[in-house]
Amino acid sequence: MPLCFSSNGFTLRSAQLRWFQKIYPFQQLPISQAHFNLSLFNSSSALLLKFSEPAKLNTSRQRFCSITASNAPTVKAETTPSTFREKNPRDVNVLVVGSTGYIGKFVVKELVNRGFNVIAIARYRSGITGEGEGANVRFSDVTHLGSLENCLESFGSSIDVVVSCLASCTGGVKDSWKIDYEATKNSLVVGRRGGASHFVLFSAICVQKPLLEFQRAKLKFEAELMREAEEDENFTYSIVRPTAFFKSLGGQVETVKEGKPYVMFGDGKLCECKPISEQDLASFMADCVLSKDKINQVLPIGGHGKALTSLQQGGYSV
């Protein structure tokens, strides 16, 4: 009984749900179940989850659009764009951490396709070689500052931009602070020492109403990133807060096909989202590397079309 949760898209199964409630006793949202039959699912078409008339989530490549969020501030600071923005992409060194993660792989591919000189940091046991997707792959433990420093010293060149695609795997307390805060901060420290003057952060739209530890960890780093830009007019950032991915919303499809219930929080109307494809998100993050109109901003981003509640994602017309 998987449960898709937040834009980070991790899945809670029935046993894990009990663990979740134990760790976060304040999370008292009731869970509703709705049984229904699922027509044959075709992964190349819409997501079909039936109550009466099926709702269709278009998973084809469509251009993303902005999401209006009252408590996702835009900070427009007066700043002098760094000289790297005037360079040809092949002369811009972009350090990517979290490069082998779910979104990181798409971001690396997009940056390489645009001609940037990409230095992709990978775990020692990631299984990839020194050339991945056309990037210069370096191996390091991002949770260890010294390891990351040694890794970049061997690179022998300055860094222009850091792109962080780091995200904790479990969303648990220890994992969240180790990855979403500490490891991400390590990449900022090392990048700054290497000459980086811009930082692109992969965050999440759900941090607007923080209830979970990974959201708090991301917000803490966001605040420190903004402070860094306030203290140094030559340093800038772009904080990208995407909504849910199609993969996240499709997490229950297989279990529903097996006749198991569709699961949602409360009455299914607690939140809504405009799901975005991984390729479109990667394209937007790559835009943030050079685009002057994305300097020092928090950027909520979603996909094409109308925002849908959990009920509507399941095919129920409200």
Side-chain angles (χ1 to χ4, degrees), residues 4-302:
C4 300
F5 194 86
S6 89
S7 65
N8 278 44
F10 61 86
T11 300
L12 297 178
R13 300 185 182 277
S14 57
Q16 294 170 320
L17 181 58
R18 291 190 294 272
W19 171 86
F20 175 81
Q21 292 170 331
K22 180 179 179 181
I23 297 299
Y24 302 103
F26 56 82
Q27 184 71 8
Q28 299 296 327
L29 294 174
I31 293 180
S32 299
Q33 298 183 348
H35 295 263
F36 55 93
N37 296 321
L38 180 71
S39 59
L40 183 61
F41 179 74
N42 182 343
S43 60
S44 65
S45 62
L47 176 63
L48 302 178
L49 303 178
K50 283 189 175 181
F51 282 87
S52 53
E53 293 296 325
K56 296 185 178 180
L57 296 179
N58 189 351
T59 59
S60 62
R61 287 293 309 281
Q62 299 189 60
R63 195 63 178 170
F64 46 75
C65 57
S66 297
I67 296 174
T68 301
S70 59
N71 53 351
T74 295
V75 181
K76 294 185 177 179
E78 291 296 329
T79 182
T80 302
S82 301
T83 55
F84 78 86
R85 292 189 175 89
E86 311 304 326
K87 296 181 181 178
N88 188 296
R90 67 172 178 269
D91 297 320
V92 178
N93 294 329
V94 182
L95 175 69
V96 181
V97 291
S99 64
T100 59
Y102 177 58
I103 293 301
K105 290 183 288 188
F106 288 94
V107 171
V108 168
K109 184 176 181 179
E110 180 68 23
L111 290 170
V112 169
N113 287 343
R114 295 192 185 195
F116 291 103
N117 182 25
V118 179
I119 306 95
I121 304 299
R123 296 185 304 273
Y124 292 107
R125 297 182 181 180
S126 62
I128 65 173
T129 61
E131 291 294 331
E133 297 287 356
N136 183 343
V137 179
R138 300 278 164 161
F139 298 93
S140 176
D141 178 2
V142 293
T143 65
H144 191 276
L145 181 60
S147 173
L148 196 53
E149 286 178 322
N150 293 335
C151 172
L152 291 184
E153 283 178 4
S154 66
F155 174 60
S157 184
S158 62
I159 302 297
D160 294 300
V161 181
V162 177
V163 177
S164 174
C165 299
L166 292 170
S168 56
C169 294
T170 66
V173 175
K174 183 178 180 180
D175 193 33
S176 294
W177 287 99
K178 186 175 183 180
I179 302 299
D180 294 301
Y181 175 71
E182 292 179 14
T184 310
K185 186 172 182 178
N186 286 345
S187 67
L188 172 63
V189 171
V190 171
R192 293 287 278 148
R193 290 176 182 174
S197 54
H198 187 56
F199 195 103
V200 181
L201 176 66
F202 168 60
S203 187
I205 202 167
C206 60
V207 301
Q208 296 172 122
K209 297 181 179 180
L211 293 174
L212 305 177
E213 212 63 29
F214 83 89
Q215 296 163 341
R216 297 187 182 98
K218 285 184 179 294
L219 279 175
K220 181 175 175 60
F221 179 76
E222 284 188 10
E224 294 187 11
L225 189 61
M226 293 177 187
R227 187 161 56 249
E228 184 81 8
E230 290 174 357
E231 295 173 353
D232 184 352
E233 64 179 6
N234 294 316
F235 176 76
T236 56
Y237 64 84
S238 300
I239 296 174
V240 181
R241 290 180 177 177
T243 184
F245 310 127
F246 284 112
K247 180 181 178 181
S248 301
L249 300 185
Q252 298 194 72
V253 171
E254 291 303 317
T255 55
V256 171
K257 285 172 65 176
E258 296 171 0
K260 297 178 181 178
Y262 176 65
V263 182
M264 58 191 176
F265 282 120
D267 61 1
K269 302 177 184 178
L270 293 175
C271 63
E272 56 185 19
C273 68
K274 301 172 73 171
I276 189 170
S277 72
E278 297 83 356
Q279 294 90 344
D280 277 347
L281 175 57
S283 178
F284 185 81
M285 291 189 68
D287 288 344
C288 292
V289 172
L290 295 180
S291 295
K292 296 178 182 179
D293 63 349
K294 295 177 177 59
I295 291 175
N296 290 356
Q297 292 195 55
V298 174
L299 302 161
I301 196 71

